Amino acid sequence: MGRMTATPAPTPESAPATPSAADRPKRVLLAAPRGYCAGVDRAVIAVEKALEQYGAPVYVRHEIVHNKYVVQTLERKGAIFVDQATEVPPGNIVMFSAHGVAPTVHEEARRGRLATIDATCPLVTKVHKEAVRYANEDFDILLIGHEGHEEVIGTSGEAPDHIQLVDGPEDVAKVEVRDPSKVVWLSQTTLSVDETMETVDALKDKFPQLLSPPSDDICYATQNRQTAIKELAGQAELVIVVGSKNSSNSIRMVEVAKQAGVPAAYLVDFASEIDEAWLEGVTSVGLSSGASVPDVLVQEVLEWLAQRGYADVELVKTADEHLTFSLPKELRRDLRAEAAELVKE
Ligand code: 0CG
Ligand code: SF4
């Protein structure tokens, strides 16, 4: 019988060390996709092209997209942002923001003798068209969205007599319809996917024959940014979302991070708004940005974090995005006319 050799019990010195959070390298988990969506890219370029083509000022009704930096940058280039088309002097051009406008706004512009460039995102226009179609079929339309948001005001304006707003599951109790067999739900494009499904489930409990929209109203960009945030949420102790306080899709990203279990998540417009105290005990910082945020602002946050030891950056990629939209038709038409003139010269 051979001698049995006992394996020595691991001593504290020989045991594999489990690094404490403080010893682990600090890192940033950078979400992809993040930042500009196709609708924002198109709208911002449209303002720039209009400025180039017609010269300053170019009037824009409402913030072209909900981002402070974008608005300030375009203001410096000669854009003038107004709350209503009625504020624009006759004979000028007014642009409509990516969030869309009600038909009454087009009428106001016509009455005010304004030329218009409509930068409404085509994915918002799609929801407008759905609203018109169901209203023509005399459906009661339950529009899930946030009260007072520009997009909801625009969509509701397509069929004010047929649309009622449902602002979350807690609103469902008060919903009343004329005929429960002719009800459809639509939604704002920038909502939380999970919260919207909760609202839909509550609506379905109340109206079992509730019809769903023919395709997703919550847009691809909103969905993709929320999926990426969820993916990095499990690995980060802090999430920073770059975005403005009035940006629905950006706010939703912070909420999604918190719901996914991140201890702390914040929305900042600029790196200078980050509080050093947020980093206490944090090894992994999740970073993303809303659909209206230029990437230069994310790069500034990355620099800020690198200066504080968070120099390793890992990309957490959950989707590829390739969608692009052509410029608003008014601008394409004029751009073509201008090009034709240039050829003649
Ligand atoms: O997310 P919302 O609808 O508030 O708009 P934002 O301008 O931030 O981004 C997308 C668009 C339009
Ligand atoms: Fe269009 Fe979606 Fe971007 Fe809004 S967030 S502009 S709906 S692509």
Side-chain angles (χ1 to χ4, degrees):
M1 209 170 129
R3 278 181 61 201
M4 287 178 66
T5 47
T7 311
T11 59
E13 291 78 32
S14 63
T18 311
S20 71
D23 299 331
R24 270 186 259 135
K26 291 174 174 174
R27 60 179 185 163
V28 179
L29 300 168
L30 181 61
R34 63 175 183 281
Y36 269 22
C37 60
V40 165
D41 195 42
R42 167 188 191 253
V44 174
I45 293 175
V47 179
E48 288 168 347
K49 290 271 180 208
L51 282 164
E52 266 170 45
Q53 188 153 327
Y54 309 110
V58 164
Y59 291 87
V60 185
R61 181 191 175 280
H62 194 75
E63 292 186 350
I64 186 75
V65 297
H66 290 150
N67 186 265
K68 222 185 228 182
Y69 174 88
V70 170
V71 168
Q72 288 169 353
T73 306
L74 292 173
E75 273 174 342
R76 275 198 297 275
K77 292 182 180 175
I80 297 180
F81 291 91
V82 293
D83 291 333
Q84 297 302 337
T86 47
E87 294 169 42
V88 181
N92 277 288
I93 297 169
V94 65
M95 295 190 67
F96 298 142
S97 78
H99 317 95
V101 292
T104 49
V105 175
H106 285 277
E107 283 159 29
E108 278 169 14
R110 258 194 306 276
R111 273 200 307 274
R113 291 190 292 115
L114 304 173
T116 58
I117 298 174
D118 189 355
T120 302
C121 175
L123 299 181
V124 173
T125 303
K126 185 203 79 153
V127 183
H128 281 222
K129 286 184 177 156
E130 287 170 356
V132 171
R133 183 181 125 211
Y134 286 113
N136 286 341
E137 292 174 27
D138 205 24
F139 272 77
D140 273 11
I141 301 166
L142 308 180
L143 177 64
I144 303 174
H146 295 297
E147 190 160 16
H149 189 278
E150 197 58 22
E151 181 185 324
V152 160
I153 295 169
T155 307
S156 302
E158 290 287 356
D161 299 337
H162 286 80
I163 296 182
Q164 55 182 306
L165 186 67
V166 184
D167 193 348
E170 55 291 340
D171 246 15
V172 172
K174 67 163 203 225
V175 177
E176 281 177 21
V177 299
R178 293 166 303 158
D179 174 359
S181 71
K182 271 194 106 172
V183 195
V184 64
W185 69 273
L186 301 178
S187 88
Q188 190 180 334
T189 56
T190 53
L191 300 182
S192 146
V193 175
D194 296 337
E195 195 190 285
T196 303
M197 289 332 288
E198 271 176 47
T199 309
V200 171
D201 288 345
L203 285 170
K204 278 189 176 151
D205 283 346
K206 191 163 176 175
F207 307 112
Q209 298 182 66
L210 181 73
L211 204 66
S212 296
S215 61
D216 284 347
D217 286 343
I218 300 181
C219 76
Y220 80 99
T222 300
Q223 296 192 28
N224 287 347
R225 279 150 194 69
Q226 288 175 17
T227 304
I229 279 280
K230 279 186 192 169
E231 182 67 27
L232 59 78
Q235 311 167 56
E237 300 95 41
L238 164 70
V239 162
I240 297 172
V241 176
V242 184
S244 289
K245 308 290 180 282
N246 59 345
S247 167
S248 169
N249 78 88
S250 308
I251 300 166
R252 303 292 83 84
M253 289 165 73
V254 173
E255 289 173 359
V256 166
K258 286 184 183 157
Q259 281 155 8
V262 180
Y266 299 97
L267 185 65
V268 297
D269 260 299
F270 303 103
S272 56
E273 289 175 12
I274 304 173
D275 187 338
E276 304 250 2
W278 299 348
L279 299 175
E280 253 166 58
V282 169
T283 304
S284 301
V285 180
L287 177 61
S288 190
S289 55
S292 46
V293 181
D295 214 51
V296 61
L297 300 178
V298 174
Q299 297 308 320
E300 282 173 16
V301 172
L302 283 173
E303 274 164 39
W304 190 96
L305 288 168
Q307 285 160 10
R308 284 150 186 89
Y310 298 82
D312 285 353
V313 180
E314 285 174 36
L315 199 66
V316 177
K317 187 172 184 177
T318 49
D320 278 312
E321 289 182 347
H322 303 289
L323 187 68
T324 55
F325 293 128
S326 50
L327 285 173
K329 62 179 187 313
E330 306 87 342
L331 214 45
R332 277 184 282 138
R333 188 188 58 214
D334 281 352
L335 286 170
R336 275 202 299 272
E338 188 186 79
E341 282 303 313
L342 284 172
V343 172
K344 271 194 242 158
E345 280 171 16

